[in-house]
Amino acid sequence: MPLVKVATVEQVPPGSALRVYVEAREVGLYNHGGQLFAIKNLCPHMGDALHKGQVTAQGRVVCPGHAWHFDLATGKCTSGQAEASVRTYPVVVQGEDILLEV
Ligand code: FES
């Protein structure tokens, strides 16, 4: 799978999230406890931008729209809508660069 540079490490400090674009895809990039995660940024419910949501201590982002939760590691909805999920992207750090496998 091709790797695409989307950000630098200093752009995503611990506890932050950044919206990035890979071709036409919108992706949320998260630094949760020093670990990087990338998931599709559009909520499958009504399309709100997930990167604007809070991240729980368990590593779940809470959609700012209607509070569905998505696990940053698996993309699965963990708030009762079992069929809903968002795509995840493997994250690779090379030096100061953050790349996604797309
Ligand atoms: S838009 Fe995300 S829960 Fe409704």
Side-chain angles (χ1 to χ4, degrees):
M1 287 199 194
L3 290 171
V4 177
K5 178 185 172 184
V6 293
T8 62
V9 170
E10 77 173 2
Q11 288 180 288
V12 196
S16 73
L18 181 68
R19 173 169 44 192
V20 298
Y21 294 91
V22 180
E23 297 158 1
R25 288 171 272 192
E26 187 174 318
V27 177
L29 184 61
Y30 299 81
N31 185 332
H32 178 64
Q35 192 170 355
L36 294 168
F37 300 92
I39 63 172
K40 181 177 178 179
N41 203 40
L42 300 178
C43 179
H45 180 217
M46 295 183 73
D48 279 23
L50 292 174
H51 78 288
K52 294 180 179 174
Q54 297 290 315
V55 175
T56 70
Q58 295 77 28
R60 295 167 181 164
V61 62
V62 181
C63 179
H66 310 91
W68 288 16
H69 294 202
F70 297 91
D71 188 285
L72 293 177
T74 66
K76 291 191 174 149
C77 182
T78 56
S79 54
Q81 296 77 18
E83 71 287 352
S85 65
V86 290
R87 179 178 173 181
T88 61
Y89 296 87
V91 180
V92 175
V93 176
Q94 288 182 350
E96 292 300 308
D97 293 335
I98 299 173
L99 305 97
L100 301 185
E101 275 185 30
V102 296

